[in-house]
Amino acid sequence: MPNTPNAPYAPYAPYPSFSSFVRARGPVLLRAARSLTANPSDAEDLLQTALTKTYVAWERIEDHRALDGYVRRALLNTRTSQWRKRKVDEFACDELPEQEAAPAPDPAEQQTLHDAMWRAVLKLPERQRAMVVLRYYEDLSEAQTAEVLGVSVGTVKSAVSRALGKLRQDPELAPVR
């Protein structure tokens, strides 16, 4: 039940002085909570928890001039408890950990694949073989390959396309696909 000027205080707010304290000191205490957490939403939650603890102890607090200190101590204790309870595998960091690298392929398998690929390339007609070697082994662009061989870029594109089609059909390279 919300507090209105003519309505009595709600059952959850029997301490008008607590409400006044929160209104007056809330922004300062929120800044203190923000200094304890990285996330503004977590700071608001932390402050709410500390204020709840303060509310519960309101009658036991003898010196209300020291309320700021009481709430700050509640903030710190609450944050420490949260920190201790968090999972060990969760922590904030500036850099992401490196992902585990995939196991290196077996050098013998790599050499076998390399040899099979080279044998398949050697089966290509001479002109296609030259274009595939320049494009993929020498890493030349289509324009550079055309210039070296004295042909048009379109010729390089079509010849390389046909050569790759033949390589895809080579039975020795079937395990790679």
Side-chain angles (χ1 to χ4, degrees), residues 18 21-22 29-30 33 36-37 40-58 60 70-83 85:
F18 177 78
F21 168 74
V22 172
L29 296 171
L30 183 57
L36 296 173
T37 63
S41 297
D42 291 342
E44 291 172 2
D45 291 344
L46 179 63
L47 179 59
Q48 287 298 316
T49 303
L51 288 174
T52 301
K53 290 178 180 182
T54 304
Y55 180 81
V56 168
W58 192 255
R60 292 178 301 184
Y70 185 92
V71 175
R72 288 175 195 272
R73 175 50 66 181
L75 284 169
L76 186 60
N77 291 346
T78 302
R79 182 64 184 132
T80 302
S81 295
Q82 290 172 346
W83 177 78
K85 289 177 186 176

Side-chain angles (χ1 to χ4, degrees), residues 66-129:
L67 284 172
D68 274 9
Y70 185 92
V71 175
R72 288 175 195 272
R73 175 50 66 181
L75 284 169
L76 186 60
N77 291 346
T78 302
R79 182 64 184 132
T80 302
S81 295
Q82 290 172 346
W83 177 78
R84 286 180 179 153
K85 289 177 186 176
R86 77 168 193 221
K87 292 182 180 179
V88 175
D89 61 345
E90 289 183 20
F91 56 92
C93 60
D94 291 335
E95 297 177 20
L96 293 175
E98 292 183 29
Q99 293 185 1
E100 294 181 27
D106 181 18
E109 288 179 17
Q110 282 185 312
Q111 187 61 46
T112 302
L113 176 60
H114 181 269
D115 292 345
M117 180 61 80
W118 191 245
R119 282 191 301 275
V121 168
L122 289 175
K123 293 177 192 174
L124 294 173
E126 187 176 330
R127 186 173 167 152
Q128 288 179 356
R129 182 173 56 235

